[in-house]
């Protein structure tokens, strides 16, 4: 809403843009601090508009569940059962009533599955018709929207692609179709399910980067070139900088890797201690570190080893790839140096320092060869922001590298910089770029110190292309360190299946009204049981069919397999990956998987009624049992309703009654 750039590791920006659209239509100006859960909204926040989209998508998921069961070939009764379960699932209701994206993700997941089923059924009767193209294209659009809301959407996308691939494989073997017809079918599917989602995904980021063009607190993790493309921030600081680095240039060098934090090559008057804590000795030279803040001690002067001057000639002599340079620390005028002395925290690497002449047998070794990593030719000029360079030590072939380790108190907790042998391999922590740059004009130290604080005059445009910004942002989002700390309401994937966790979302400051993310235990337990029953029946049928024993008709078997692939498969692909994720997890991460499990439940119930209840009496008894079970689920929904909607003040006795699980656990411990 404020057009400020931000980085969210949870997923692409499409979901946030949809929420922002609701705020924009409601007249929201973005002026609210979202820094405390439970804080009261100010009058300028259009809560209704911001919550409208999640509420609508949560509501539309109910008829889509009905349609999916019909398209799978099951009865209206089973479809109504699926819709009813979606309607009375407390966790889905809670999540869709707040400014959260899970209901939006579930909506696009279900839309992708429904659209593909509609397309698949059109394939049998009217291939290449208008409706056939519409549902095929909508499948691709829905898949891209699901991925665009959260990365979790890719699981459903891959599931749809897998089912579509199996169907395409059967299509290739259809001898009634000509080769040209088969080729047209394959190209149509490739365009709709691969090309369109890719273009849509790029479109989300294109619009996102147009909207968030202002500098913000998340800039620091991005490269200097990306930061310079944003309005304000680094763009304001670097405006007017010379593009080409020349001998005599004053520069700040930022490490491209940016981890554990973005930092700049830095030095100060303090020296390395004579003896480290572990008893090893040092060179006692001036410390060189990587400092995560803007500071005048981050400035260095690029010097020609064959000349004494520290100013830029007229015309400037640019520094090129392969040139040998010296780097002089601007505030102390000491040369960047490395030698065969172990680094303080990385003993297998060389210490990097600014050379102090103690008149002992340790000569300075301050020559560095410039290696432009992203050069287009071997005569490439060193450019501000754009060039990514390695500084290779001439005497030892060590490369200037950020080790990432924090120095002790004698190093002011700054980050260690070392010389790493090239033989150890290439890493992004060896790469640096010039961020701030000016042409030095003062030879005298006093004047030069004043000059280091003065602004540059020349204006050079260095806007990145969209693809360069997209690729960098995508990489940063995928590699952003997630918060793996423990949280009061965090949980493990095993806790979700048994509903052994909940999340307190809101508590009224004056009454006991509250909102909890808490599932309907009858639905969750029954859905898990239905999954087990489906898997057992599937493998039982599969084994017997291997023995040429067909317990159910062929069309029922195909319907059973397709329903399992989409519903049981949807649960598996949206649930099992969380066991491999090293991040803080919460109950709401399970909701997309739960949705597919809920769809499977009526499928199993109808199958049992149609194929396992052989007599009319058994069917009647089973139907009565199902009705009683649905009534029980409705009763649990109504019981948990105050915690779902938060619209009722609860007395202490009512709250205690709702904590039935805690009471049950205490009873078990006693016995």
């Amino acid at each position: 809403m404020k057009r400020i750039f931000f980085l969210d590791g949870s997923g692409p920006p499409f979901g946030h843009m949809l929420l922002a659209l609701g705020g924009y239509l409601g007249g929201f100006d973005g002026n609210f601090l979202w820094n405390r859960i439970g804080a009261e909204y100010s009058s300028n926040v259009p809560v209704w508009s911001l919550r409208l989209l999640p509420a609508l998508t949560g509501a539309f998921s109910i008829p889509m569940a009905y349609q999916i069961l019909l398209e799978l070939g099951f009865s209206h009764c089973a479809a109504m059962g699926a819709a009813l379960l979606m309607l009375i699932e407390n966790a889905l209701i809670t999540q869709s009533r707040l400014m959260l994206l899970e209901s939006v993700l579930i909506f696009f997941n279900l839309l992708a599955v429904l659209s593909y089923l509609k397309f698949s059924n059109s394939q049998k009767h009217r291939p290449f018709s208008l409706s056939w193209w519409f549902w095929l294209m909508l499948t691709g659009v829905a898949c891209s929207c699901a991925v665009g809301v959260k990365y979790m959407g890719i699981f459903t996308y891959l599931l749809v692609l897998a089912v579509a691939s199996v169907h395409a494989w059967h299509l290739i073997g259809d001898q009634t179709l000509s080769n040209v017809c088969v080729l047209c079918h394959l190209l149509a599917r490739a365009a709709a399910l691969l090309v369109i989602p890719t273009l849509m995904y790029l479109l989300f980021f294109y619009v996102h980067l147009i909207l968030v063009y202002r500098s913000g607190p998340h800039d620091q993790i991005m490269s200097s070139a990306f930061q310079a493309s944003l309005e304000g921030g680094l763009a304001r600081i670097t405006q007017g900088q010379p593009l080409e680095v020349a001998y005599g240039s004053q520069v700040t060098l930022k490490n491209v890797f940016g981890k554990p934090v973005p930092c700049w090559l830095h030095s100060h008057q303090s020296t390395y201690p004579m003896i480290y804590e572990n008893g090893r000795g040092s060179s006692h030279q001036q410390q060189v570190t990587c400092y995560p803040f803007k500071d005048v001690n981050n400035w260095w002067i690029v010097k020609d080893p064959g000349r004494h001057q520290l100013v830029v000639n007229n015309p400037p002599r640019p520094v090129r790839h392969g040139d040998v340079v010296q780097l002089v620390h601007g505030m102390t005028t000491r040369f960047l140096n490395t030698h065969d002395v172990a680094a303080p925290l990385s003993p297998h690497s060389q210490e990097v320092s600014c050379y102090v002449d103690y008149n002992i047998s340790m000569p300075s070794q301050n020559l560095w060869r410039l290696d432009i990593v992203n050069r287009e030719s071997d005569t490439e000029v060193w450019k501000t922001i754009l060039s990514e360079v390695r500084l290779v030590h001439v005497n030892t072939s060590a490369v200037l590298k950020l080790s990432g380790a924090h120095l002790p108190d004698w190093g002011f907790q700054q980050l260690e910089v070392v010389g790493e042998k090239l033989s150890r391999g290439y890493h992004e922590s060896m790469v640096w770029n010039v961020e701030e740059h000016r042409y030095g004009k003062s030879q005298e130290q006093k004047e030069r110190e004043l000059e280091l604080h003065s602004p540059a005059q020349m204006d050079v445009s260095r806007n990145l292309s969209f693809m360069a910004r997209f690729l960098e942002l995508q990489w940063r989002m995928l590699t952003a360190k997630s918060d793996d700390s423990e949280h009061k309401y965090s949980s493990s994937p095993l806790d979700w299946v048994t509903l052994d966790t909940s999340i307190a979302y809101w508590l009224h400051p004056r009454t006991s009204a509250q909102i909890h993310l808490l599932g309907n235990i009858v639905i969750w337990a029954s859905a898990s049981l239905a999954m087990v029953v489906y898997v057992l029946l599937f493998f039982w049928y599969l084994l017997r069919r291997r023995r040429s024993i067909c317990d159910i008709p062929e069309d029922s078997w195909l319907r059973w397999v397709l329903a399992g692939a989409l519903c049981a498969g949807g649960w598996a692909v949206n649930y099992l990956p969380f066991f491999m994720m090293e991040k803080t997890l919460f109950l709401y991460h399970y909701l997309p998987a739960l949705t597919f499990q809920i769809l499977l439940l009526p499928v199993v119930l109808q199958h049992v009624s149609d194929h396992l209840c052989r007599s009319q009496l058994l069917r009647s008894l089973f139907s009565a049992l199902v009705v009683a079970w649905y009534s029980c689920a409705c009763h649990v929904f109504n019981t948990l309703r105050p915690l779902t909607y938060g619209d009722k003040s609860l007395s202490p006795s009512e709250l205690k009654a709702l904590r039935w699980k805690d009471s049950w656990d205490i009873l078990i411990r006693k016995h």
Side-chain angles (χ1 to χ4, degrees), residues 81 304 344 399 484 529:
D304 184 348
V399 182
D484 54 0
L529 180 61

Side-chain angles (χ1 to χ4, degrees), residues 291-365:
Y291 190 50
F293 301 100
K294 303 281 188 182
D295 189 86
V296 71
N297 280 314
N298 296 347
W299 285 93
W300 300 80
I301 302 170
V302 181
K303 180 182 176 297
D304 184 348
R307 301 191 180 190
H308 293 291
Q309 66 186 41
L310 297 177
V311 296
V312 176
N313 291 340
N314 191 12
R317 290 192 303 125
V319 183
R320 300 181 182 275
H321 169 74
D323 286 353
V324 175
V325 301
Q326 292 172 312
L327 289 178
V328 183
H329 187 238
M331 297 302 291
T332 62
T333 66
R334 289 185 173 136
F335 290 77
L336 185 69
N337 181 80
T338 188
H339 37 222
D340 192 16
V341 175
L345 302 181
S346 306
H348 297 293
S349 302
Q350 293 179 188
E351 175 192 271
V352 175
S353 61
C354 277
Y355 183 74
V356 181
D357 189 359
Y358 290 120
N359 292 319
I360 57 176
S361 58
M362 183 182 285
S364 64
Q365 300 181 28

